[in-house]
Amino acid sequence: MGVVRLSSIMRNCLPLSAINQIKQTHTQILINGFYQNLTLQTDLILVYSRCSDHLKYAQQVFDRMTDRNMHSWNILISSYVQNSLYHDSLRMFDEFLKTGLRPDHFTFPSIFKACAGIGDSCIGKVMHSWIIKLGFEDHVVVRSSLIDFYAKCENLIDANRLFGKMVVRDVVVWNSMIGGFARAGFSEEALFCFKEMQEEGLKMDLRTIPSILSACGKEDDLMKGKEIHGQVVKSLRFSRDIAIGNAIIDMYAKCGCLSNSRLVFKNMNDLSVVTWTTLISSYGVNGKGEESIILFEEMIAAGFKPNCVTFTAILSSCSHSGLIHQGRRIFNSMSSDFGIKPGIEHYACMVDLLGRFGHLEEALELVKNFPGEAAASVWGALLGACRIHKNMEIGEIAAYQLFELEAHNSSNYIALSNIYESVGRWDNVQKLRARMKELALVKTPGLSWININDRVFRFFQGDVSLPQMKMAYETLDTMSKIMMLPQGYE
C-alpha cells in the first residue's frame, strides 16, 4: 500500500471521525516504513486533531516529526483553539515562533480566537501590529478574525473602525459586530447594525439570531423580537436549533411575556440543561420564585443534572422571591447531592438572599466561611443589604473590603454614605465625601429610557437636553395634579 493510497484513506476518514480506521491506517504507515513521510505525518495530525478525544495523539505525532512544515503547525494550533484549549494553542504558537518561521494568514485567525478566549487583549494587539507588518490586514479572513477579537474583548471602537474600512463584509463579520454590541450592553447599536446588515441584502444565520434576540430583550423591543421569532418559525433549520430556542425563551421573559416563554419551551423538540436553566431564570427574574423551584425539580426528575449556571439561576430566583428556607436547602444540596462546589456567584446569591430579608449576621458569617478571598460581588451584595436595613456596623466591614478590592468604584462610597445618613452620622458622611473628592470619584447618574416608534430615548434625572423633555415634564405634572384631586373631580 503506497503513500498516496494511505493519504487518501485518512482524508476519507475526516468527515466521519472514524478513529478505529485512522488507527489501523496509522499502523499500516508504521509497518510499511512510511512514518517519516511528511505528507502522511501531516495527515495523521489532521485526522487525530479532528477527533477531540484523541488530540493527544496528534501532539505525539507532531512531537516525533523531524521536519515540521507550516501546515502541521497551523493544524495543531487551530485544533487546540477548536477544543477551547486556548493556553495550549498560545504555547504552541510560542514554540512556533522560536523556529524562525513567520505566521501566515491561516495562523492569525486561530491566535486571535485564542486571545479572545482568554481575554488577553495585549497579545492580540501585538498580533495586530504583526499583520500590518506582514501585509495581511486587508486579507478578509484575517481582518474578520481581528474584528471578532476586538468585539469579544469589548474594544468596540477598534472593532468598528476596522469594520468601517472593509469593502466586502459577509455575514460572519456582521455577526461579530452585532454580537460585540449585544454582549457589551449596547443593544440599540446591535439592532441598528442588524438593520444595516439587512439593508445590504445579507440574511441572518444561526449565529445572528441569538445576539439580536438578546438585544431585543434588553431593549424591551417585543415587536422586533416577535418579528425575528416569526422568521425562525418559517425556517426548519432555525426552528430546530436549541440555542435559538433558548434565546427566544429569554427574549420573551425579558419583555415580561412569561406565557410565551413557556409556550416556546413546550414546543421545543430537543431540550438541554441550558434550556431548562433559561426558563428557570426567566421565572426568577420576573419574581416567580416558587414556579422556578417547581421547574428545577421537574428538570431533575426528567433526568437532567443541574450545572453551576443552573444553581446560580435558581438561587437568584429564591433571592428575588424571598424563599430563604428553599435557598438554604438548594445551596447545601450543591455539594451533598450533585458534587458541585459552590462558587463566588452562588455565595453572592445566598448573601443577597439572606441580606435582603435581614439575616445580616448569617450573611456575614457565610462570607467569612468562603474558601479563599471573597470577591467584590459577594461583599457588594452584603453592603447593599446593609443599606436596606441601615446596619452601619456590618456595612462598614463590607464597604472597607470593597474599598480595597475596587478602589475607584464610587457606588461603594455612596452606599456607605447613605447608611451613615440613615442613622444620622453626618460627620462620617462629610469625611466620606471628602475622601471621594480626594480620589476624584464621581457618582454616575441614574438612567431611564423609553421606546417610542422603534426609537429609544434615554434621559437622566433633571435632563432637559431633549426637545421632548419639556412635554414629558408637563404631562407628568398634569398627571400628578389629577391623581391628587378628590375622587369624582377628575
Side-chain angles (χ1 to χ4, degrees), residues 166-337:
M166 290 189 76
V167 178
V168 180
R169 299 184 288 203
D170 60 9
V171 71
V172 175
V173 75
W174 278 102
N175 284 340
S176 295
M177 290 305 304
I178 293 168
F181 281 127
R183 278 190 303 273
F186 297 102
S187 304
E188 185 182 4
E189 288 77 4
L191 291 169
F192 180 75
C193 202
F194 176 61
K195 184 180 177 182
E196 281 192 313
M197 184 187 90
Q198 290 182 312
E199 288 174 354
E200 287 198 8
L202 293 170
K203 293 182 179 180
M204 61 185 184
D205 63 7
L206 293 170
R207 194 179 159 198
T208 318
I209 298 171
S211 296
I212 289 301
L213 288 170
S214 174
C216 290
K218 288 175 182 175
E219 288 292 314
D220 197 19
D221 194 339
L222 182 60
M223 187 176 294
K224 174 62 72 174
K226 283 185 173 181
E227 179 188 322
I228 301 298
H229 185 189
Q231 293 181 48
V232 168
V233 171
K234 292 176 184 177
S235 169
L236 189 63
R237 183 167 66 104
F238 291 159
S239 61
R240 287 184 175 178
D241 188 85
I242 294 179
I244 289 176
N246 298 342
I248 295 171
I249 292 171
D250 182 64
M251 180 274 297
Y252 278 125
K254 285 176 179 172
C255 291
C257 302
L258 274 178
S259 57
N260 287 14
S261 293
R262 191 62 188 256
L263 188 62
V264 172
F265 177 84
K266 278 179 151 183
N267 290 330
M268 287 180 68
N269 295 320
D270 297 311
L271 300 176
S272 67
V273 173
V274 178
T275 311
W276 281 98
T277 301
T278 303
L279 193 63
I280 289 167
S281 177
S282 298
Y283 274 86
V285 296
N286 282 278
K288 307 284 186 181
E290 292 182 355
E291 288 87 342
S292 287
I293 291 175
I294 292 170
L295 283 168
F296 180 70
E297 291 169 349
E298 286 179 1
M299 169 186 157
I300 295 169
F304 291 89
K305 183 181 177 181
N307 58 23
C308 293
V309 181
T310 312
F311 279 109
T312 302
I314 190 63
L315 289 173
S316 179
S317 299
C318 291
S319 179
H320 280 98
S321 300
L323 304 175
I324 297 174
H325 173 70
Q326 295 92 324
R328 286 195 191 106
R329 175 176 57 81
I330 291 169
F331 182 79
N332 293 328
S333 73
M334 288 183 66
S335 52
S336 61
D337 297 345

Side-chain angles (χ1 to χ4, degrees), residues 368-403:
K368 288 179 178 178
N369 291 332
F370 181 77
E373 185 178 350
S377 58
V378 180
W379 288 112
L382 184 58
L383 179 59
C386 292
R387 179 181 175 181
I388 294 170
H389 297 285
K390 303 177 183 178
N391 189 310
M392 187 179 74
E393 291 76 18
I394 297 178
E396 285 181 330
I397 294 171
Y400 282 103
Q401 289 288 338
L402 286 165
F403 295 163

Side-chain angles (χ1 to χ4, degrees), residues 71-140:
H71 190 38
S72 62
W73 281 101
N74 281 336
I75 290 170
L76 204 55
I77 290 170
S78 173
S79 298
Y80 278 121
V81 171
Q82 295 303 320
N83 287 277
S84 300
L85 300 170
Y86 305 119
H87 289 285
D88 290 311
S89 177
L90 292 173
R91 173 184 55 81
M92 288 297 301
F93 181 64
D94 189 52
E95 291 181 20
F96 162 77
L97 294 178
K98 291 174 183 176
T99 65
L101 291 171
R102 283 187 170 186
D104 60 13
H105 60 282
F106 291 109
T107 317
F108 283 113
S110 296
I111 297 304
F112 284 126
K113 284 182 183 177
C115 291
I118 63 174
D120 193 329
S121 59
C122 294
I123 298 177
K125 287 180 178 179
V126 171
M127 293 300 103
H128 187 179
S129 65
W130 277 33
I131 65 172
I132 294 172
K133 290 176 183 177
L134 296 173
F136 293 130
E137 193 179 26
D138 291 329
H139 191 283
V140 174

Side-chain angles (χ1 to χ4, degrees), residues 444-448 458-466 469 473:
T444 304
L447 174 69
S448 300
R458 292 179 170 84
F459 52 93
F460 301 95
Q461 181 180 359
D463 182 11
V464 292
S465 60
L466 293 173
M469 292 312 300
Y473 284 125

